[in-house]
Amino acid sequence: MDSGHSSSGLVHIPVLLTEVVAGLQIRPGARIIDGTVGGGGHTEAMLVQSAPNGRLLGLDADLAAIDRVQKRLAPEIANGRLQLVHAYFEQMPTIAQQHGFEAVDAILLDLGVSSFQIDSAERGFSFQQDGPLDMRFDLTAATTAADIVNHWDEQALADLIYEYGEERQSRRIARAIVRERPFATTAELANVVERALGGRRGSRIHPATRTFQALRIGVNRELEQLAQVLPACLALLAVGGRLAVISFHSLEDRIVKRWMQAEAQTFTPDPLHPMGGTERTPTGRIITRKPIEASAQEVAQNPRSRSAKLRIIERL
Ligand SMILES: C[S@@+](CC[C@H](N)C(=O)[O-])C[C@H]1O[C@@H](n2cnc3c(N)ncnc32)[C@H](O)[C@@H]1O
Protein backbone atom coordinates (compact mmCIF):
# COMPACT_ATOMS: atom_id res chain seq x y z
CA MET A 1 0.00 0.00 0.00
CA ASP A 2 1.22 3.49 -0.79
CA SER A 3 2.18 5.45 2.29
CA GLY A 4 1.97 8.37 -0.03
CA HIS A 5 5.12 10.39 0.23
CA SER A 6 7.59 11.02 -2.52
CA SER A 7 11.10 10.85 -1.20
CA SER A 8 11.89 14.15 -2.84
CA GLY A 9 9.05 16.47 -1.94
CA LEU A 10 7.15 17.83 -4.90
CA VAL A 11 8.67 15.69 -7.65
CA HIS A 12 6.76 12.70 -8.99
CA ILE A 13 9.37 10.08 -9.85
CA PRO A 14 8.08 7.85 -12.65
CA VAL A 15 7.97 4.20 -11.61
CA LEU A 16 9.57 1.39 -13.68
CA LEU A 17 10.46 3.92 -16.37
CA THR A 18 13.03 1.86 -18.29
CA GLU A 19 10.84 -1.24 -18.08
CA VAL A 20 7.78 0.62 -19.43
CA VAL A 21 9.61 2.16 -22.39
CA ALA A 22 11.34 -1.14 -23.26
CA GLY A 23 8.24 -3.27 -22.66
CA LEU A 24 6.07 -1.08 -24.87
CA GLN A 25 8.72 -1.31 -27.62
CA ILE A 26 8.44 2.41 -28.36
CA ARG A 27 10.02 3.13 -31.75
CA PRO A 28 10.58 6.32 -33.77
CA GLY A 29 7.28 7.50 -35.19
CA ALA A 30 5.13 5.58 -32.68
CA ARG A 31 1.55 6.63 -31.92
CA ILE A 32 1.12 6.52 -28.15
CA ILE A 33 -1.63 7.16 -25.59
CA ASP A 34 -0.73 7.88 -21.96
CA GLY A 35 -3.99 7.55 -20.01
CA THR A 36 -2.50 8.90 -16.76
CA VAL A 37 -0.09 11.74 -17.53
CA GLY A 38 0.46 12.79 -13.87
CA GLY A 39 3.81 14.57 -13.64
CA GLY A 40 4.59 13.64 -17.25
CA GLY A 41 7.65 11.49 -16.52
CA HIS A 42 6.56 8.51 -18.61
CA THR A 43 5.07 10.83 -21.22
CA GLU A 44 8.38 12.60 -21.66
CA ALA A 45 10.41 9.38 -21.87
CA MET A 46 8.03 7.94 -24.48
CA LEU A 47 8.27 11.16 -26.52
CA VAL A 48 12.06 10.93 -26.44
CA GLN A 49 11.98 7.28 -27.47
CA SER A 50 9.54 7.92 -30.33
CA ALA A 51 11.47 10.94 -31.69
CA PRO A 52 11.67 12.54 -34.15
CA ASN A 53 8.09 12.13 -35.35
CA GLY A 54 6.22 10.00 -32.78
CA ARG A 55 3.02 11.48 -31.38
CA LEU A 56 1.47 11.14 -27.96
CA LEU A 57 -2.03 11.81 -26.67
CA GLY A 58 -2.06 12.27 -22.90
CA LEU A 59 -5.06 12.25 -20.55
CA ASP A 60 -5.44 13.02 -16.88
CA ALA A 61 -8.52 13.55 -14.74
CA ASP A 62 -6.63 16.19 -12.76
CA LEU A 63 -6.55 19.58 -14.47
CA ALA A 64 -3.61 20.67 -12.29
CA ALA A 65 -1.54 17.77 -13.70
CA ILE A 66 -2.47 18.70 -17.28
CA ASP A 67 -1.60 22.37 -16.67
CA ARG A 68 1.76 21.53 -15.16
CA VAL A 69 2.81 19.16 -17.94
CA GLN A 70 1.52 21.61 -20.56
CA LYS A 71 4.05 24.13 -19.26
CA ARG A 72 6.90 21.67 -18.74
CA LEU A 73 6.60 20.01 -22.16
CA ALA A 74 5.50 23.15 -24.04
CA PRO A 75 8.05 22.63 -26.88
CA GLU A 76 6.55 19.19 -27.65
CA ILE A 77 3.08 20.73 -27.78
CA ALA A 78 4.32 23.51 -30.03
CA ASN A 79 5.88 21.04 -32.49
CA GLY A 80 2.67 19.01 -32.61
CA ARG A 81 4.01 15.84 -31.00
CA LEU A 82 2.05 16.10 -27.73
CA GLN A 83 -1.65 16.69 -27.17
CA LEU A 84 -3.02 16.83 -23.62
CA VAL A 85 -6.66 16.46 -22.63
CA HIS A 86 -8.28 16.87 -19.20
CA ALA A 87 -10.47 13.75 -19.00
CA TYR A 88 -11.01 10.46 -17.22
CA PHE A 89 -9.44 7.58 -19.11
CA GLU A 90 -12.84 5.92 -19.41
CA GLN A 91 -13.44 8.55 -22.12
CA MET A 92 -10.36 7.37 -24.03
CA PRO A 93 -12.15 5.86 -27.07
CA THR A 94 -14.03 9.09 -27.86
CA ILE A 95 -11.05 11.37 -27.21
CA ALA A 96 -8.69 9.15 -29.19
CA GLN A 97 -11.06 9.24 -32.15
CA GLN A 98 -11.44 13.02 -31.91
CA HIS A 99 -7.66 13.42 -32.03
CA GLY A 100 -7.07 10.90 -34.81
CA PHE A 101 -5.44 8.32 -32.53
CA GLU A 102 -6.65 4.98 -33.86
CA ALA A 103 -4.68 1.77 -34.31
CA VAL A 104 -2.02 3.07 -31.92
CA ASP A 105 1.29 1.38 -31.08
CA ALA A 106 1.34 1.76 -27.30
CA ILE A 107 -0.92 2.67 -24.38
CA LEU A 108 0.15 3.24 -20.77
CA LEU A 109 -1.97 3.33 -17.62
CA ASP A 110 0.03 4.20 -14.49
CA LEU A 111 -2.75 3.97 -11.94
CA GLY A 112 -3.48 5.76 -8.71
CA VAL A 113 -2.23 8.96 -7.18
CA SER A 114 0.76 11.12 -8.07
CA SER A 115 3.15 12.59 -5.52
CA PHE A 116 1.89 16.07 -6.40
CA GLN A 117 -1.61 15.07 -5.35
CA ILE A 118 -0.49 13.40 -2.11
CA ASP A 119 1.77 16.31 -1.24
CA SER A 120 -0.97 18.90 -1.77
CA ALA A 121 -2.73 18.90 1.61
CA GLU A 122 -5.74 20.74 0.16
CA ARG A 123 -6.53 17.76 -2.11
CA GLY A 124 -7.29 15.64 0.94
CA PHE A 125 -5.48 12.42 -0.12
CA SER A 126 -3.18 12.34 2.89
CA PHE A 127 -3.71 11.86 6.58
CA GLN A 128 -0.09 12.82 7.21
CA GLN A 129 -0.96 16.43 6.45
CA ASP A 130 -4.34 17.81 7.47
CA GLY A 131 -6.63 18.85 4.63
CA PRO A 132 -10.29 18.84 3.55
CA LEU A 133 -11.82 15.39 2.99
CA ASP A 134 -11.82 15.62 -0.79
CA MET A 135 -9.76 12.92 -2.65
CA ARG A 136 -11.18 13.70 -6.11
CA PHE A 137 -8.76 13.36 -9.04
CA ASP A 138 -11.12 15.63 -10.97
CA LEU A 139 -12.15 18.68 -8.95
CA THR A 140 -15.25 19.07 -11.14
CA ALA A 141 -16.57 15.61 -10.12
CA ALA A 142 -19.64 15.61 -7.89
CA THR A 143 -18.71 13.33 -4.98
CA THR A 144 -16.00 14.02 -2.40
CA ALA A 145 -14.78 11.80 0.42
CA ALA A 146 -16.67 14.07 2.85
CA ASP A 147 -19.94 13.29 1.02
CA ILE A 148 -19.33 9.59 1.55
CA VAL A 149 -18.24 9.61 5.21
CA ASN A 150 -20.88 12.15 6.26
CA HIS A 151 -23.89 10.78 4.37
CA TRP A 152 -23.62 7.07 3.56
CA ASP A 153 -25.35 4.68 5.93
CA GLU A 154 -23.28 2.47 8.20
CA GLN A 155 -23.71 -0.72 6.18
CA ALA A 156 -22.71 0.93 2.90
CA LEU A 157 -19.65 2.49 4.56
CA ALA A 158 -18.62 -0.85 6.08
CA ASP A 159 -18.99 -2.56 2.69
CA LEU A 160 -16.90 0.12 0.94
CA ILE A 161 -14.12 -0.05 3.55
CA TYR A 162 -14.15 -3.87 3.46
CA GLU A 163 -14.21 -4.20 -0.31
CA TYR A 164 -11.93 -1.38 -1.42
CA GLY A 165 -9.70 -1.23 1.66
CA GLU A 166 -9.55 -4.99 2.29
CA GLU A 167 -10.03 -3.95 5.92
CA ARG A 168 -11.23 -6.70 8.22
CA GLN A 169 -12.28 -4.21 10.91
CA SER A 170 -14.57 -2.37 8.50
CA ARG A 171 -17.70 -2.70 10.67
CA ARG A 172 -16.00 -1.28 13.71
CA ILE A 173 -14.66 1.65 11.67
CA ALA A 174 -18.03 2.34 10.01
CA ARG A 175 -19.74 2.35 13.43
CA ALA A 176 -17.22 4.87 14.79
CA ILE A 177 -17.55 7.07 11.68
CA VAL A 178 -21.35 7.19 11.96
CA ARG A 179 -21.12 7.92 15.71
CA GLU A 180 -18.56 10.72 15.36
CA ARG A 181 -19.55 12.42 12.12
CA PRO A 182 -19.69 14.98 10.53
CA PHE A 183 -16.03 15.18 9.53
CA ALA A 184 -14.40 18.07 7.69
CA THR A 185 -10.73 17.09 7.58
CA THR A 186 -8.47 14.14 6.91
CA ALA A 187 -6.88 14.38 10.37
CA GLU A 188 -10.27 14.21 12.14
CA LEU A 189 -11.16 11.06 10.21
CA ALA A 190 -7.73 9.46 10.65
CA ASN A 191 -7.91 10.02 14.42
CA VAL A 192 -11.32 8.42 14.73
CA VAL A 193 -10.25 5.41 12.64
CA GLU A 194 -7.09 5.06 14.71
CA ARG A 195 -9.10 5.16 17.98
CA ALA A 196 -11.67 2.68 16.63
CA LEU A 197 -8.83 0.23 15.96
CA GLY A 198 -7.30 0.72 19.39
CA GLY A 199 -4.33 2.84 18.33
CA ARG A 200 -1.23 2.01 16.33
CA ARG A 201 -0.30 -1.26 18.05
CA GLY A 202 3.25 -1.02 16.81
CA SER A 203 2.28 -1.32 13.13
CA ARG A 204 4.46 0.49 10.61
CA ILE A 205 1.50 1.56 8.53
CA HIS A 206 -1.05 4.02 9.92
CA PRO A 207 -4.30 2.30 10.97
CA ALA A 208 -6.28 4.62 8.65
CA THR A 209 -4.32 3.67 5.51
CA ARG A 210 -6.80 1.05 4.32
CA THR A 211 -9.82 3.25 5.05
CA PHE A 212 -8.29 6.13 3.09
CA GLN A 213 -7.50 3.80 0.17
CA ALA A 214 -11.12 2.61 0.16
CA LEU A 215 -12.51 6.14 0.14
CA ARG A 216 -10.18 7.22 -2.68
CA ILE A 217 -11.14 4.23 -4.81
CA GLY A 218 -14.83 4.90 -4.14
CA VAL A 219 -14.67 8.66 -4.77
CA ASN A 220 -12.95 8.18 -8.13
CA ARG A 221 -14.74 4.95 -9.15
CA GLU A 222 -11.26 3.62 -9.79
CA LEU A 223 -12.01 -0.07 -10.20
CA GLU A 224 -15.06 0.45 -12.43
CA GLN A 225 -13.06 2.82 -14.63
CA LEU A 226 -10.20 0.34 -14.87
CA ALA A 227 -12.42 -2.62 -15.76
CA GLN A 228 -14.12 -0.51 -18.40
CA VAL A 229 -11.02 0.97 -20.03
CA LEU A 230 -8.99 -2.25 -20.46
CA PRO A 231 -11.03 -3.70 -23.35
CA ALA A 232 -11.28 -0.21 -24.85
CA CYS A 233 -7.48 0.05 -24.82
CA LEU A 234 -7.05 -3.27 -26.59
CA ALA A 235 -9.55 -2.16 -29.24
CA LEU A 236 -7.55 1.05 -29.80
CA LEU A 237 -4.27 -0.80 -30.42
CA ALA A 238 -2.98 -1.79 -33.83
CA VAL A 239 -2.16 -5.48 -34.23
CA GLY A 240 1.22 -5.88 -32.49
CA GLY A 241 0.57 -2.78 -30.36
CA ARG A 242 1.07 -3.06 -26.61
CA LEU A 243 -0.77 -1.98 -23.46
CA ALA A 244 1.16 -1.56 -20.19
CA VAL A 245 -0.59 -1.18 -16.84
CA ILE A 246 1.14 -0.29 -13.57
CA SER A 247 -0.98 -1.02 -10.51
CA PHE A 248 -0.26 -0.27 -6.87
CA HIS A 249 -2.52 -2.61 -4.93
CA SER A 250 -3.91 -6.10 -5.21
CA LEU A 251 -7.45 -5.08 -6.18
CA GLU A 252 -6.23 -3.30 -9.29
CA ASP A 253 -3.66 -5.94 -10.13
CA ARG A 254 -6.26 -8.71 -9.91
CA ILE A 255 -8.52 -6.93 -12.40
CA VAL A 256 -5.63 -6.41 -14.83
CA LYS A 257 -4.30 -9.97 -14.46
CA ARG A 258 -7.68 -11.68 -14.92
CA TRP A 259 -8.60 -9.52 -17.86
CA MET A 260 -5.28 -10.21 -19.61
CA GLN A 261 -5.65 -13.94 -18.97
CA ALA A 262 -9.15 -13.90 -20.47
CA GLU A 263 -7.96 -12.03 -23.58
CA ALA A 264 -5.12 -14.52 -24.07
CA GLN A 265 -7.30 -17.59 -23.57
CA THR A 266 -7.61 -20.08 -26.41
CA PHE A 267 -10.54 -21.86 -24.82
CA THR A 268 -13.70 -20.57 -23.11
CA PRO A 269 -14.85 -23.06 -20.46
CA ASP A 270 -18.57 -23.74 -20.19
CA PRO A 271 -19.62 -23.01 -16.58
CA LEU A 272 -22.45 -25.57 -16.81
CA HIS A 273 -20.31 -28.43 -18.18
CA PRO A 274 -16.97 -28.96 -16.40
CA MET A 275 -15.46 -30.75 -19.41
CA GLY A 276 -17.11 -28.51 -22.01
CA GLY A 277 -16.26 -25.23 -23.64
CA THR A 278 -15.43 -23.65 -26.96
CA GLU A 279 -12.22 -22.87 -28.79
CA ARG A 280 -11.59 -19.16 -29.20
CA THR A 281 -9.09 -17.04 -31.05
CA PRO A 282 -7.11 -15.12 -28.44
CA THR A 283 -7.21 -11.34 -28.79
CA GLY A 284 -4.02 -10.69 -26.84
CA ARG A 285 -0.65 -12.21 -25.99
CA ILE A 286 0.62 -11.71 -22.46
CA ILE A 287 4.18 -10.35 -22.49
CA THR A 288 4.70 -10.45 -18.72
CA ARG A 289 3.93 -13.93 -17.40
CA LYS A 290 4.76 -12.57 -13.98
CA PRO A 291 4.35 -8.86 -13.26
CA ILE A 292 7.51 -6.76 -13.47
CA GLU A 293 8.41 -5.21 -10.12
CA ALA A 294 10.84 -2.49 -9.10
CA SER A 295 14.43 -3.47 -8.33
CA ALA A 296 15.78 -3.07 -4.79
CA GLN A 297 17.73 -0.09 -6.07
CA GLU A 298 14.61 1.62 -7.43
CA VAL A 299 12.69 0.96 -4.20
CA ALA A 300 15.55 2.50 -2.21
CA GLN A 301 15.44 5.62 -4.40
CA ASN A 302 11.65 5.80 -4.65
CA PRO A 303 9.71 4.00 -1.89
CA ARG A 304 6.47 4.52 -3.84
CA SER A 305 7.70 1.92 -6.37
CA ARG A 306 7.65 -0.78 -3.66
CA SER A 307 4.12 -1.94 -4.45
CA ALA A 308 4.18 -1.32 -8.24
CA LYS A 309 3.33 -4.20 -10.60
CA LEU A 310 3.71 -3.79 -14.35
CA ARG A 311 1.77 -6.05 -16.72
CA ILE A 312 1.93 -5.86 -20.51
CA ILE A 313 -0.27 -7.39 -23.22
CA GLU A 314 0.15 -7.31 -27.00
CA ARG A 315 -2.79 -7.13 -29.38
CA LEU A 316 -3.04 -10.08 -31.75
C1 LIG B 1 0.65 7.55 -10.69
S1 LIG B 1 0.17 9.03 -11.43
C2 LIG B 1 0.90 8.97 -13.03
C3 LIG B 1 2.32 9.40 -13.02
C4 LIG B 1 2.95 9.55 -14.39
N1 LIG B 1 3.05 8.29 -15.10
C5 LIG B 1 4.31 10.23 -14.31
O1 LIG B 1 5.29 9.68 -14.84
O2 LIG B 1 4.39 11.30 -13.72
C6 LIG B 1 -1.50 8.72 -11.78
C7 LIG B 1 -2.23 9.88 -12.46
O3 LIG B 1 -3.39 9.33 -13.04
C8 LIG B 1 -4.48 10.18 -12.86
N2 LIG B 1 -5.65 9.33 -12.87
C9 LIG B 1 -6.02 8.38 -11.98
N3 LIG B 1 -7.15 7.78 -12.37
C10 LIG B 1 -7.50 8.34 -13.55
C11 LIG B 1 -8.56 8.15 -14.47
N4 LIG B 1 -9.52 7.24 -14.23
N5 LIG B 1 -8.59 8.88 -15.58
C12 LIG B 1 -7.62 9.80 -15.83
N6 LIG B 1 -6.60 10.06 -15.00
C13 LIG B 1 -6.54 9.33 -13.88
C14 LIG B 1 -4.22 10.89 -11.55
O4 LIG B 1 -4.86 12.14 -11.55
C15 LIG B 1 -2.69 10.98 -11.53
O5 LIG B 1 -2.28 12.23 -12.04
Side-chain angles (χ1 to χ4, degrees), residues 9-48:
L10 276 176
V11 179
H12 181 92
I13 307 169
V15 164
L16 295 167
L17 186 61
T18 317
E19 292 82 351
V20 165
V21 173
L24 282 174
Q25 297 189 321
I26 308 283
R27 297 190 180 92
R31 290 294 195 104
I32 306 157
I33 301 178
D34 186 343
T36 50
V37 166
H42 289 104
T43 298
E44 187 175 15
M46 294 191 287
L47 279 168
V48 169

Side-chain angles (χ1 to χ4, degrees), residues 62-133:
D62 186 350
L63 187 57
I66 294 291
D67 282 347
R68 216 172 15 244
V69 175
Q70 221 147 23
K71 290 198 187 89
R72 197 164 71 76
L73 300 181
E76 299 288 20
I77 294 173
N79 69 23
R81 293 189 56 210
L82 173 62
Q83 289 169 283
L84 294 172
V85 181
H86 172 224
Y88 281 110
F89 55 56
E90 67 180 349
Q91 296 164 258
M92 193 188 290
T94 319
I95 293 168
Q97 194 188 24
Q98 283 165 354
H99 289 77
F101 276 72
E102 278 154 305
V104 300
D105 302 297
I107 301 180
L108 171 64
L109 299 173
D110 177 16
L111 302 171
V113 201
S114 76
S115 305
F116 298 105
Q117 291 163 332
I118 294 274
D119 290 340
S120 308
E122 74 278 7
R123 300 296 299 270
F125 287 105
S126 171
F127 44 77
Q128 320 263 8
Q129 318 166 59
D130 200 9
L133 267 174

Side-chain angles (χ1 to χ4, degrees), residues 233-245:
C233 287
L234 201 64
L236 276 168
L237 287 172
V239 170
R242 290 186 173 190
L243 165 67
V245 188

Side-chain angles (χ1 to χ4, degrees), residues 46 59 108 112 120 137 172 182 194 203 224 256 268 294:
M46 294 191 287
L59 315 181
L108 171 64
S120 308
F137 289 141
R172 188 187 287 222
E194 183 172 347
S203 163
E224 292 100 304
V256 177
T268 310

